[in-house]
Amino acid sequence: MNYKIYRSTTSGSEIYLTTIGNVITYTNTGLTNGTTYYYKVSAVNAVGEGPKSNEALVSLTVPSTPQNLTITYGGSQVTLNWQAPTGGDLPITNYKIYKGTNSGGEAFFTTIGNVLTYTDSSAFGSTYYYKVSAVNVVGEGPQSSEVSWTVPGAPVNFYAVAGNQQATLNWKAPTSNGVPITNYKIYRGTASGGETLLIAVGNVTTYTNTGLTNGTTYYYKVSAVNAVGEGSLSAESMAQLTLPNTP
């Protein structure tokens, strides 16, 4: 009793490779990394060779990209979490973390085991960008998408609506936050470009500034704040309060 091994680099076209004894495992060495191999096996007895097995394949390739990389803030540290690559037949052995102070400028930072989380206690108080890659016995796969430990971008779609002795401000959250926004800062002035800090509000997207003087034009800007710090100011918006009609 023995077995015959068939192999190919295309599905369904396996050709005879070798004959082994009455064992149920075989290691095929001397293969080329980066190649996908297809296998079938048949059993042989004194009467002859039986039908081939179903096809099995193995891709001797590096892992694909880690998925859904996220970053969260916790005290004086940040934690990265991700999901394993969806492609690749070979087990992942570890992950590599890349870190930089500029978007797209990440450099190798550290290698960790086959886990899906990493905590960096050296990131607090500064702007950092991260990517992650997976490694198997063949080598290192491509890096993930980027996440950042950075201040928010500028709030968008900011506008002011004038009322009677008040102005209502509305905006939308920045398109890039780094880590979650904690609050916003409102700036006000009576001359364009001359805004100074008026008030800090919570994680809201509207604010009504009361106690204003009718007949005055007010100029506003708003910024977003997270655990890293304050982001850039929004575009300027104005509210021109009119005087009441004379009886």
Side-chain angles (χ1 to χ4, degrees), residues 81-103:
N81 291 280
W82 61 91
Q83 295 174 349
T86 56
D89 297 320
L90 301 175
I92 291 170
T93 56
N94 38 18
Y95 288 90
K96 290 186 176 182
I97 310 296
Y98 291 81
K99 177 180 176 181
T101 55
N102 296 299
S103 178

Side-chain angles (χ1 to χ4, degrees), residues 49-244:
E49 180 180 3
K52 295 184 178 70
S53 69
N54 60 290
E55 184 178 72
L57 68 88
V58 60
S59 296
L60 301 184
T61 57
V62 298
S64 57
T65 305
Q67 301 294 301
N68 300 325
L69 177 63
T70 61
I71 186 170
T72 56
Y73 164 68
S76 59
Q77 60 193 21
V78 297
T79 299
L80 306 174
N81 291 280
W82 61 91
Q83 295 174 349
T86 56
D89 297 320
L90 301 175
I92 291 170
T93 56
N94 38 18
Y95 288 90
K96 290 186 176 182
I97 310 296
Y98 291 81
K99 177 180 176 181
T101 55
N102 296 299
S103 178
E106 294 86 356
F108 173 73
F109 179 58
T110 189
T111 298
I112 61 175
N114 185 13
V115 294
L116 300 175
T117 186
Y118 175 75
T119 298
D120 183 8
S121 58
S122 65
F124 184 72
S126 299
T127 296
Y128 288 108
Y129 299 82
Y130 295 88
K131 292 183 179 180
V132 177
S133 68
V135 181
N136 62 18
V137 293
V138 177
E140 180 182 2
Q143 294 176 10
S144 69
S145 58
E146 180 181 79
V147 294
S148 60
W149 168 245
T150 184
V151 296
V156 296
N157 297 341
F158 177 53
Y159 65 94
V161 177
N164 181 21
Q165 296 183 320
Q166 67 180 33
T168 299
L169 312 178
N170 295 277
W171 62 91
K172 291 186 178 179
T175 56
S176 60
N177 295 339
V179 291
I181 291 170
T182 56
N183 58 293
Y184 290 90
K185 290 185 176 182
I186 310 294
Y187 293 79
R188 185 188 71 189
T190 54
S192 178
E195 295 86 356
T196 60
L197 179 64
L198 171 66
I199 192 172
V201 298
N203 187 11
V204 296
T205 56
T206 187
Y207 171 73
T208 299
N209 183 197
T210 60
L212 301 180
T213 302
N214 287 338
T216 303
T217 299
Y218 293 90
Y219 298 83
Y220 294 91
K221 292 183 179 180
V222 62
S223 68
V225 181
N226 64 16
V228 183
E230 180 181 3
S232 53
L233 295 171
S234 70
E236 183 179 72
S237 185
M238 60 175 284
Q240 187 173 11
L241 277 62
T242 59
L243 291 170

Side-chain angles (χ1 to χ4, degrees), residues 29-42:
T29 59
L31 302 179
T32 302
N33 288 338
T35 302
T36 298
Y37 293 90
Y38 299 83
Y39 294 91
K40 290 184 179 181
V41 178
S42 66

